Amino acid sequence: MDKKTLAFKIGARTETIQVPSGNLLDVLEPNKVRSAHTGADAIRFALKNPIGTPCLGEIIRPGEKIAVVTSDITRPMPTWEVMPALLEELYAAGVSPEDITLVFALGSHRAQTDEEKRRLAGERAWREIRCVDSNPADCVHLGTTKRGTPVDIDRRVAEADRRICLGNIEYHYFAGYSGGAKAIMPGVSTRGAIQANHSRMVCPEACAGRLEGNPVREDLEEAAAMVGVDFILNVVLDAHKEILYAAAGDMIKAHRDGCAFLDTLYRKPIAQKADIVLVSQGGAPKDLNLYQTQKALDNAGHAVKPGGVVVLMGSCKEGLGETVFSEWMTSAPTAHSLIERIQREFRLGGHKAAAIAMVLENASIFLVSDLEDALVRQLFMEPYHTPQEAYDAAARKLGPGATVLAMPYGGSTLPSVKSSNNGPA
């Protein structure tokens, strides 16, 4: 029998699965897209050609305090590659290094070590400007959105004269896309504010690939507008986490430009759903824990038939990754009880537990990870030690004719049944 060998990244390693060629419907890899400017050139081009705003040199004034907000270690945003060109723009505008603070947007994530901050910032920024984690315990209240979300923002960001937001754009399972205003909300917000915004994830319009009418995205953009964002610089990364495209300028217009480019790269139409979906986050750092690996699972959920199997691959070497998420996952009597619980009491962290449960309503999850087998079973998933072992078990369960879709970069790739017009089917 002719077989196809498929490669998947798990943490820092690459493992393979052999699948009968006749069963394989498709391998959902990024589309081949050419970009006129890549890497550091893309950053410089975007800074010189902003969308919807003047160049930074026409916005910034000497003596102003500048807060540059960027992603923490759980995101693949290459801040170290962006900062040299950005610093040159700021210095050319007359800004002094002591007036610039680089703030790592932790959201609800753990604090970072100095070594992690240094690696993210890059040597030049680490040496020349102040680099700090956001602090949810020291925030300024700036009001409340129409939907009732408190706008509580890290003091150093809220009290800056100018705010510049960095980020990478990829699909987000309920905010539509990452990037743009997400650097502010949830990036440098309090847990309570994040919880209020994210509570709208239960709305059907809150889904990957949707911006218009998405209550989560609209609410976080309203919050960021209340804070005031003077400029954004967002990048789209290829499968190897290299900068393929950059968009700079207005918080909405530049972000939408980046989202449109992302769609040409990662939105993947499929003719039909599959019995078995093989999915990886794409390796480190995006699969450090189950909390982050869940993103690939959610995208895979759009591609699996009812009663099918998702083979989820992620290192999860740091465990489950978030306290509330861990508590919900390990204490639930059944997977369905997590969905009932989120409807009774929305809690940040619990929302991802409920999202996993929603996939389990439709399909089984076979998990290939570094987690202990007993823990995986406690999470309502079946543990396997190699991707091949997991696929073989799924094929035995569903029969020799079981169809397969492969998603080697599942955290980024959004399957969409061809008849669907509003986000994935």
Side-chain angles (χ1 to χ4, degrees), residues 6 54 83 111 157 257 273 304 309 316 343 347 367 376 379:
L6 307 173
M83 287 307 296
V157 177
D257 177 84
K273 296 183 178 183
V304 66
V309 173
C316 305
Q343 292 170 335
R347 288 190 68 194
L367 180 63
V376 174
L379 307 176

Side-chain angles (χ1 to χ4, degrees), residues 53-137:
T53 68
C55 291
L56 270 176
E58 299 175 49
I59 296 173
I60 306 294
R61 296 290 178 265
E64 291 182 327
K65 301 293 184 184
I66 314 297
V68 180
V69 183
T70 194
S71 303
D72 70 359
I73 197 171
T74 66
R75 303 291 187 263
M77 170 64 193
T79 304
W80 62 89
E81 194 168 358
V82 170
M83 287 307 296
L86 180 59
L87 287 175
E88 288 164 14
E89 288 285 311
L90 294 175
Y91 294 161
V95 179
S96 299
E98 58 266 24
D99 288 334
I100 306 170
T101 302
L102 180 64
V103 181
F104 297 105
L106 295 183
S108 60
H109 307 148
R110 67 165 175 83
Q112 302 176 125
T113 66
D114 281 348
E115 182 53 39
E116 287 170 336
K117 287 183 281 191
R118 181 175 184 165
R119 188 165 71 248
L120 288 175
E123 287 301 320
R124 182 176 178 185
W126 184 257
R127 184 175 64 247
E128 295 180 7
I129 65 174
R130 187 165 56 144
C131 303
V132 299
D133 281 345
S134 60
N135 182 4

